[in-house]
Amino acid sequence: ANFVPGHLTLTVNRGETVHLSMLLLGSEKRDVTWKYNGNYHYMTHWNEMVNRTAVLTLENVAIANRGIYSASYMGDTPLHGAWMRLIVRVCPNRKWGPNCDKECPACVIGYCMETVLCPPGFDGDALRDRACREGMFGRSCQQSCGSDLNCKGLRFCLPDPYGCSCASGLVWDSLFLLLLPACPNDMYGPDCKLSCKCQNGFCKRFSGCTCPTGWRGQSCEKPVPDWAPQILELEGNLEWNLNSTPKIFCSATGNPLPSHNSIELRKLDSTVLKASRTIMDSNKSTAVFEIPQLNAQQGGLWECRVSTNGGQDSRKFNLTVKEPPVPTTVPTLLEKKSKQLLVLPGDTYRGDGPILFTKILYKPEKNGNSWSSIIVYSDKKPITLMNLEPSTRYHVCVQLSRPGEGGEGAPGPETIMETDCPGSLFSFQGCPILHKIVTKIIHSAAPTMSSLPTDCFVYVVKRGHQTTNGHARDNQIKYEFSSAIYLPPMGHLKKKILTSTQKFRGSCRLFSSSCLLCVVEPTVQPEIDISSVEGRNATVRWRLPANSGVNARTASGFLVQLYGPPPHSEKLQEETTVLNVLSTRFHNLEYQRDYTVVVRLVNCGSQGPPSKPYQFRIHSQAGTAAGDNYQLLVAVVGSVTVTCVTILLALLALFFIRKMLLNRRRTFTYQSGSGEETILQFNSGTLTLTRRPKPTPEALTYPILEWEDIKFEDVIGEGNFGQVIKAMVKKDGNKMSAAIKMLKEFASENDHRDFAGELEVLCKLGQHPNIINLIGACENRGYLYIAIEYAPYGNLLDFLRKSRVLETDPAFAKEHGTASTLTSQQLLQFAVDVATGMHYLSDKQFIHRDLAARNVLVGDNLVAKIADFGLSRGEEVYVKKTMGRLPVRWMAIESLNYSVYTTKSDVWSFGVLLWEIVSLGGTPYCGMTCAELYEKLPQGFRMEKPKNCDDEVYELMKQCWRDRPYERPPFSQISVQLSRMQEARKAYVNMALFENFTYAGIDATAEEA
């Protein structure tokens, strides 16, 4: 640049005369052009320049004159020139107010507004009360330059009307383009514009005149009389915790100002406490007192005393010492599981309240070097200890805390709590009963757990009789009993004296020197009753005998084993289920091969007797079940039986047909007001519109449920216009769980039409394992209720988000190195299930129109089922003509632009759903509005690949999001591609915790659009 401005900004009052100056760096004798806001304003001839400075004079400035002024040589580019800004106040000098009719208070420097606005580096009201000390600047002296810079080289700008200036005590050297380190003699302030004129004392370039003791005033011209100190700030009641380190502040003013040794704390017992440090400002001194390791004797009445040459002042305050609370009773164990303990803290404690929070401390009895803890802000509710080790003893104690520093008390008394065996088991822990049984171990060397057998028969006799255990491997262990507790397989406890002929079947381990741990071995044999084959996947179901008495006390679950064909009968797969799940699914089996399944109960490692082997075969065509010969026989017998029954029923048909029509069928018909429908068809990217008459609506017949046969239970889902309630329904004499869908009272006509449309779709679709199937419907008091299959795991979106274990249980995530409780195979299976269900829908020529993770339910065995058919249509092409709520983030381009829906638009939605699965329930296009989607999707914008997603899966997403509908893959092809991925057993969705792992964003408000 060839110029340097005299000021970066200049603030003036309206009506004043201002001189704008530019310093020339070169010695060229050329004219200077001035521009105002980029337009030519004035020219300074080179002969008019003095000391190489070009000056532009503006007289009687007005608001119109404020703006940017620049100077450059005539004909040069503006980049070689310089700029400055002129700020013009609305009011004239020393006037303010809406009409500029109010007088400003007197001030040495500053800008007149409602009150005086001090420039950077000063603080005060009417007169300049004080300037910033060295190293500080800004309004009210709140900003610091830092010890290294010391404000050298600092020029800063603040909002109008301050503008830009140097820091206090510095001046801008236009010639050398730097800030000089000091002001000239007798000058101070920003840009060194103010004069000290000190009569006493000396001039400090930051704050002006520094007066010696006894003098005051702007020029130190007035003597200062001494006056007594006065305590300004001190609380009357202070409360601190025992053993804490309280800090007590006492502030005082006076002349002279109280010094460090002038302020002290005194107690009635003559204890004197000196200040640890004192902060001295221009008008007050603040002493800080610290009491290390506060004890009870230091509580009571204290006094802050200030003494100077001007006099003395004192003020009393009370210091209360609070004792942190310490529990006096051990916590109570309310419930235990294999990995959890439900603990209730004790009610009593010594010390002072109130209780701020309760901390449960726990660690394993063995190898427990450090305590783990859980903090809850309640002392009355039970606390659950999670992620524990099964069959492990833990030290547990409680620590309480009250408000304030050092408010955490010492831990209370410890107790021992023990987790259950894996699953829900029948076991004795802590020996509350068995310590009455086993009174003495005769053998001197106590056996270890590893030396005991898995299963043992324990002979129990009366006191005074000794016997060896009947098991060959355990014949050296001898016990003496005084009484016994009989443990039958049912798990019921009966205290009695046993004879030598009675025995207990189960797993026993020596738990301590005087304690046995015994677990009942299951004795019930499950019965496999059916299997179903779908492609290369087989589902096996079983049941327990009636009145078997099996419950969570006698068994923890089922072990299902799959074997190959004889003679080798190699074990191929093994699955476990919890006790209330009576089915499992085997995936990717081989065609034309026989399989055998065996099911047995398990309980804490003990296995019950196996079921009878069940055989089935995977044929080349999916859906052919095992046991063809048996089914052929059933079919023949069934045909004969049906023929006979038909002849008998024909005689009764004339009498009951009318009643059957009324009670077991109901017609529900609706149609739109228009007699025509618009058909849009895509052909090589061309959009063709035709019209055809609408077909006559057919009567809709659905299976009836009686109102009395529905027993409502809990609300499991609710939206703006409808809700879903779990219920027990009775159909054809059988009771089953169901989800009842119903509309709310204020639902619109469109909502009722869509709801009836969903019932129509469910009736026409029939049954399929990957869609939510219809159970029946009921009409009561003018309201329609639809009963569908109950999915115990809820919708897929919530299920995916709950699996984000890094958010719900970070300790578990880091321990196992995983970001989800779901595996890559399970996530891929969800996609396969949905693709299979959509293939079935497309074969039926149904368009879903609202395919998203929130509309997919997770049933037994984590089978995904498509649901929510409220927007579905049984047409090849559907054109929406009504205004309703739209799932914009899942809609294809042609649906957004033309309101056209086809199976290909469902394919687009499936791509978004696949992205939801991979991202564990992220919000599509998170951070974007619907308006942005309308604009950017036709331009080729698509969602980025999730970091944990394989390229092959993302390529399938992009195929679903192609612009031209006919270029998108059909659901049959998508289903095949995903099935092949699953068979490859590759981690297509990486759930490992890699570096910088983050979950996809969730925006609940955006999902409503």
Side-chain angles (χ1 to χ4, degrees):
N2 297 322
F3 298 83
V4 174
H7 301 86
L8 291 180
T9 62
L10 192 60
T11 301
V12 296
N13 299 301
R14 179 168 59 86
E16 293 181 340
T17 298
V18 61
H19 304 282
L20 308 180
S21 62
M22 293 284 184
L23 176 66
L24 279 68
L25 299 181
S27 58
E28 299 180 58
K29 296 181 178 181
R30 298 173 58 185
D31 296 340
V32 175
T33 301
W34 291 85
K35 292 184 178 181
Y36 168 61
N37 290 339
N39 300 317
Y40 174 82
H41 182 74
Y42 184 76
M43 180 179 293
T44 302
H45 194 270
W46 66 272
N47 287 330
E48 299 175 359
M49 300 180 193
V50 179
N51 296 329
R52 292 188 299 166
T53 302
V55 178
L56 174 63
T57 301
L58 302 176
E59 297 181 352
N60 192 24
V61 294
I63 300 300
N65 295 118
R66 61 186 178 189
I68 305 297
Y69 290 83
S70 63
S72 61
Y73 283 127
M74 186 175 180
D76 272 6
T77 172
L79 296 177
H80 294 160
W83 294 264
M84 66 181 300
R85 178 167 176 250
L86 178 63
I87 303 172
V88 181
R89 289 186 61 242
V90 175
C91 294
N93 187 27
R94 311 206 53 79
K95 294 290 184 179
W96 69 279
N99 300 318
C100 297
D101 55 353
K102 297 184 179 181
E103 291 288 337
C104 289
C107 58
V108 177
I109 60 172
Y111 305 106
C112 177
M113 300 293 280
E114 298 83 2
T115 182
V116 176
L117 293 182
C118 294
F122 287 88
D123 185 22
D125 294 326
L127 295 173
R128 190 262 304 166
D129 289 342
R130 69 171 184 268
C132 298
R133 61 182 183 273
E134 185 175 359
M136 304 300 292
F137 69 95
R139 186 179 183 184
S140 302
C141 306
Q142 295 299 311
Q143 295 173 274
S144 172
C145 299
S147 58
D148 296 335
L149 292 175
N150 197 27
C151 288
K152 293 180 180 179
L154 178 61
R155 173 177 281 269
F156 56 91
C157 300
L158 295 175
D160 293 349
Y162 299 116
C164 302
S165 68
C166 303
S168 181
L170 300 175
V171 64
W172 177 255
D173 190 324
S174 300
L175 180 61
F176 297 102
L177 302 178
L178 51 81
L179 292 171
L180 296 180
C183 298
N185 291 334
D186 204 38
M187 304 299 291
Y188 73 99
D191 291 335
C192 299
K193 290 183 176 181
L194 304 176
S195 175
C196 285
K197 300 178 181 179
C198 298
Q199 297 182 17
N200 295 286
F202 61 93
C203 181
K204 192 173 182 180
R205 61 189 175 97
F206 300 102
S207 55
C209 287
T210 300
C211 300
T213 303
W215 294 92
R216 63 185 177 89
Q218 183 179 348
S219 301
C220 303
E221 73 280 8
K222 300 177 183 179
V224 179
D226 292 340
W227 47 281
Q230 181 180 2
I231 296 176
L232 302 177
E233 301 172 6
L234 182 64
E235 295 184 23
N237 291 289
L238 300 178
E239 183 179 286
W240 288 86
N241 293 310
L242 188 68
N243 296 322
S244 63
T245 302
K247 291 183 179 180
I248 302 173
F249 297 85
C250 183
S251 298
T253 186
N255 187 47
L257 278 178
S259 63
H260 176 70
N261 295 322
S262 300
I263 308 177
E264 62 184 12
L265 294 184
R266 289 177 173 270
K267 204 168 183 289
L268 295 181
D269 59 1
S270 301
T271 301
V272 178
L273 185 64
K274 294 293 183 180
S276 58
R277 59 190 177 95
T278 302
I279 304 171
M280 299 185 67
D281 291 329
S282 59
N283 58 354
K284 70 175 180 179
S285 298
T286 302
V288 182
F289 300 88
E290 295 185 6
I291 305 177
Q293 295 293 314
L294 181 67
N295 56 51
Q297 289 71 30
Q298 291 171 323
L301 191 64
W302 286 76
E303 178 186 66
C304 177
R305 181 177 298 178
V306 183
S307 301
T308 66
N309 294 334
Q312 189 180 81
D313 189 20
S314 64
R315 184 176 298 181
K316 292 181 174 58
F317 66 93
N318 188 59
L319 177 62
T320 304
V321 180
K322 295 291 187 178
E323 180 183 358
V326 178
T328 56
T329 57
V330 298
T332 304
L333 178 62
L334 300 181
E335 184 182 355
K336 60 182 178 180
K337 298 182 181 179
S338 60
K339 294 186 178 182
Q340 296 181 6
L341 294 173
L342 185 62
V343 179
L344 180 65
D347 294 332
T348 59
Y349 62 88
R350 67 174 185 273
D352 297 310
I355 303 302
L356 180 63
F357 62 80
T358 302
K359 180 188 293 185
I360 297 290
L361 302 172
Y362 60 97
K363 67 177 180 180
E365 187 179 41
K366 296 182 179 179
N367 303 322
N369 298 324
S370 59
W371 292 90
S372 300
S373 64
I374 294 180
I375 296 177
V376 293
Y377 288 86
S378 173
D379 58 341
K380 301 297 183 183
K381 296 182 180 180
I383 302 172
T384 302
L385 309 183
M386 306 178 68
N387 300 320
L388 306 179
E389 293 296 327
S391 303
T392 304
R393 292 161 61 89
Y394 285 85
H395 291 275
V396 183
C397 63
V398 176
Q399 191 173 18
L400 303 176
S401 183
R402 68 178 311 277
E405 176 191 342
E408 192 171 62
E414 297 180 17
T415 185
I416 296 293
M417 297 182 182
E418 184 179 359
T419 54
D420 212 337
C421 294
S424 299
L425 305 173
F426 179 67
S427 58
F428 296 101
Q429 300 170 11
C431 302
I433 300 177
L434 285 180
H435 76 276
K436 299 179 182 179
I437 305 175
V438 183
T439 59
K440 185 177 182 183
I441 296 183
I442 303 298
H443 191 52
S444 59
T448 63
M449 285 189 178
S450 59
S451 67
L452 288 173
T454 306
D455 302 307
C456 56
F457 293 90
V458 180
Y459 287 87
V460 184
V461 299
K462 294 182 179 180
R463 182 179 177 87
H465 294 78
Q466 299 177 7
T467 181
T468 60
N469 191 294
H471 203 290
R473 290 179 53 192
D474 209 18
N475 56 9
Q476 294 183 351
I477 304 175
K478 301 178 180 180
Y479 304 100
E480 182 176 339
F481 300 94
S482 58
S483 62
I485 301 297
Y486 177 46
L487 308 175
M490 294 296 293
H492 301 295
L493 302 180
K494 298 179 181 178
K495 186 170 182 179
K496 61 185 294 186
I497 303 299
L498 304 181
T499 65
S500 60
T501 60
Q502 292 176 310
K503 57 187 178 181
F504 162 69
R505 177 70 174 175
S507 300
C508 294
R509 290 185 176 182
L510 188 62
F511 194 70
S512 66
S513 60
S514 62
C515 176
L516 284 179
L517 172 64
C518 297
V519 180
V520 172
E521 179 179 293
T523 59
V524 178
Q525 185 179 27
E527 300 174 357
I528 301 178
D529 57 358
I530 191 172
S531 70
S532 59
V533 178
E534 300 166 8
R536 294 174 58 187
N537 303 328
T539 301
V540 179
R541 297 178 176 84
W542 60 89
R543 56 186 174 84
L544 292 171
N547 302 321
S548 62
V550 175
N551 53 42
R553 296 171 60 86
T554 58
S556 60
F558 294 95
L559 176 66
V560 188
Q561 297 168 316
L562 179 70
Y563 295 90
H568 304 291
S569 296
E570 177 187 3
K571 183 165 69 175
L572 303 176
Q573 295 185 38
E574 192 172 85
E575 302 287 343
T576 58
T577 72
V578 294
L579 195 60
N580 59 348
V581 176
L582 302 177
S583 66
T584 191
R585 195 177 194 186
F586 296 103
H587 300 280
N588 302 319
L589 305 181
E590 297 182 11
Y591 288 124
Q592 304 299 334
R593 186 174 181 183
D594 294 320
Y595 292 93
T596 302
V597 178
V598 171
V599 182
R600 66 179 76 207
L601 283 165
V602 293
N603 188 32
C604 197
S606 298
Q607 298 182 6
S611 65
K612 294 181 181 180
Y614 185 89
Q615 296 182 348
F616 64 90
R617 183 178 180 85
I618 303 295
H619 295 277
S620 58
Q621 294 183 354
T624 305
D628 290 338
N629 294 335
Y630 174 77
Q631 292 190 6
L632 179 60
L633 177 61
V634 171
V636 172
V637 174
S639 298
V640 175
T641 303
V642 169
T643 302
C644 296
V645 172
T646 302
I647 296 173
L648 294 176
L649 291 178
L651 300 175
L652 301 175
L654 294 175
F655 300 97
F656 292 99
I657 190 169
R658 181 176 180 84
K659 182 177 180 180
M660 291 291 292
L661 287 174
L662 291 175
N663 295 335
R664 305 303 298 169
R665 292 290 186 267
R666 186 160 303 173
T667 300
F668 200 104
T669 304
Y670 67 94
Q671 62 184 31
S672 63
S674 174
E676 292 183 335
E677 63 179 348
T678 306
I679 301 300
L680 284 81
Q681 206 161 13
F682 283 94
N683 185 14
S684 300
T686 303
L687 184 65
T688 305
L689 288 85
T690 61
R691 292 184 178 274
R692 71 182 184 191
K694 273 195 173 183
T696 303
E698 299 178 358
L700 173 61
T701 302
Y702 56 84
I704 276 293
L705 293 177
E706 298 296 339
W707 179 252
E708 295 76 17
D709 293 336
I710 302 176
K711 304 300 180 184
F712 292 97
E713 296 179 359
D714 300 321
V715 176
I716 57 178
E718 190 165 4
N720 291 331
F721 302 96
Q723 60 183 359
V724 184
I725 304 175
K726 183 183 177 184
M728 288 295 297
V729 301
K730 185 177 181 182
K731 181 182 179 183
D732 300 331
N734 298 320
K735 290 186 177 181
M736 63 189 75
S737 295
I740 308 296
K741 302 186 69 173
M742 58 180 293
L743 289 177
K744 293 184 177 179
E745 294 181 356
F746 50 82
S748 66
E749 182 179 350
N750 287 339
D751 294 322
H752 282 280
R753 182 165 53 250
D754 289 341
F755 194 49
E758 181 173 2
L759 176 58
E760 179 190 27
V761 170
L762 289 170
C763 290
K764 292 183 178 180
L765 280 179
Q767 302 288 309
H768 189 274
N770 293 122
I771 67 172
I772 286 293
N773 297 304
L774 177 68
I775 296 176
C778 175
E779 191 175 11
N780 183 57
R781 296 182 180 179
Y783 288 95
L784 180 63
Y785 299 83
I786 301 177
I788 58 176
E789 284 183 283
Y790 172 68
Y793 297 104
N795 70 73
L796 179 59
L797 180 62
D798 291 340
F799 191 75
L800 292 171
R801 290 177 178 177
K802 289 176 183 177
S803 75
R804 293 186 170 195
V805 69
L806 194 58
E807 296 175 345
T808 59
D809 192 351
F812 177 89
K814 294 176 182 178
E815 179 183 353
H816 295 83
T818 180
S820 174
T821 55
L822 299 171
T823 65
S824 173
Q825 289 292 318
Q826 288 174 318
L827 294 173
L828 213 55
Q829 184 60 45
F830 289 146
V832 172
D833 290 343
V834 176
T836 304
M838 289 305 299
H839 181 203
Y840 176 80
L841 284 180
S842 62
D843 282 348
K844 293 277 190 177
Q845 296 186 347
F846 272 86
I847 309 167
H848 192 283
R849 294 179 59 217
D850 196 10
L851 183 60
R854 63 179 179 275
N855 293 330
V856 175
L857 300 181
V858 183
D860 292 327
N861 300 318
L862 302 186
V863 177
K865 294 173 174 285
I866 302 168
D868 206 335
F869 298 96
L871 298 181
S872 300
R873 293 293 181 267
E875 302 162 357
E876 294 183 2
V877 181
Y878 173 75
V879 182
K880 180 177 175 61
K881 298 185 289 296
T882 59
M883 296 298 294
R885 299 176 300 276
L886 296 175
V888 173
R889 297 175 186 273
W890 287 261
M891 288 170 60
I893 294 178
E894 66 273 13
S895 303
L896 290 173
N897 293 336
Y898 307 107
S899 297
V900 176
Y901 299 86
T902 66
T903 295
K904 294 299 185 179
S905 60
D906 279 347
V907 171
W908 178 293
S909 302
F910 178 82
V912 181
L913 185 147
L914 185 57
W915 185 92
E916 288 183 279
I917 292 175
V918 173
S919 64
L920 298 179
T923 300
Y925 311 101
C926 190
M928 294 181 64
T929 64
C930 295
E932 290 174 325
L933 289 180
Y934 276 98
E935 177 185 356
K936 292 187 176 182
L937 286 180
Q939 298 174 0
F941 174 79
R942 299 294 185 268
M943 282 188 288
E944 294 181 356
K945 184 186 78 170
K947 294 181 180 180
N948 62 328
C949 178
D950 187 81
D951 290 338
E952 190 174 347
V953 178
Y954 183 63
E955 180 59 32
L956 179 58
M957 295 182 196
K958 292 195 295 183
Q959 292 176 14
C960 296
W961 299 334
R962 287 173 176 168
D963 286 342
R964 297 181 177 89
Y966 60 88
E967 292 182 353
R968 299 170 198 159
F971 280 112
S972 57
Q973 179 181 332
I974 294 174
S975 179
V976 170
Q977 283 184 253
L978 290 171
S979 296
R980 287 175 180 171
M981 292 181 195
Q982 193 183 48
E983 291 172 6
R985 293 290 175 179
K986 174 183 173 183
Y988 284 92
V989 184
N990 182 14
M991 287 293 99
L993 279 179
F994 50 82
E995 187 176 0
N996 298 327
F997 178 90
T998 56
Y999 293 114
I1002 297 176
D1003 186 351
T1005 58
E1007 291 171 357
E1008 295 175 0

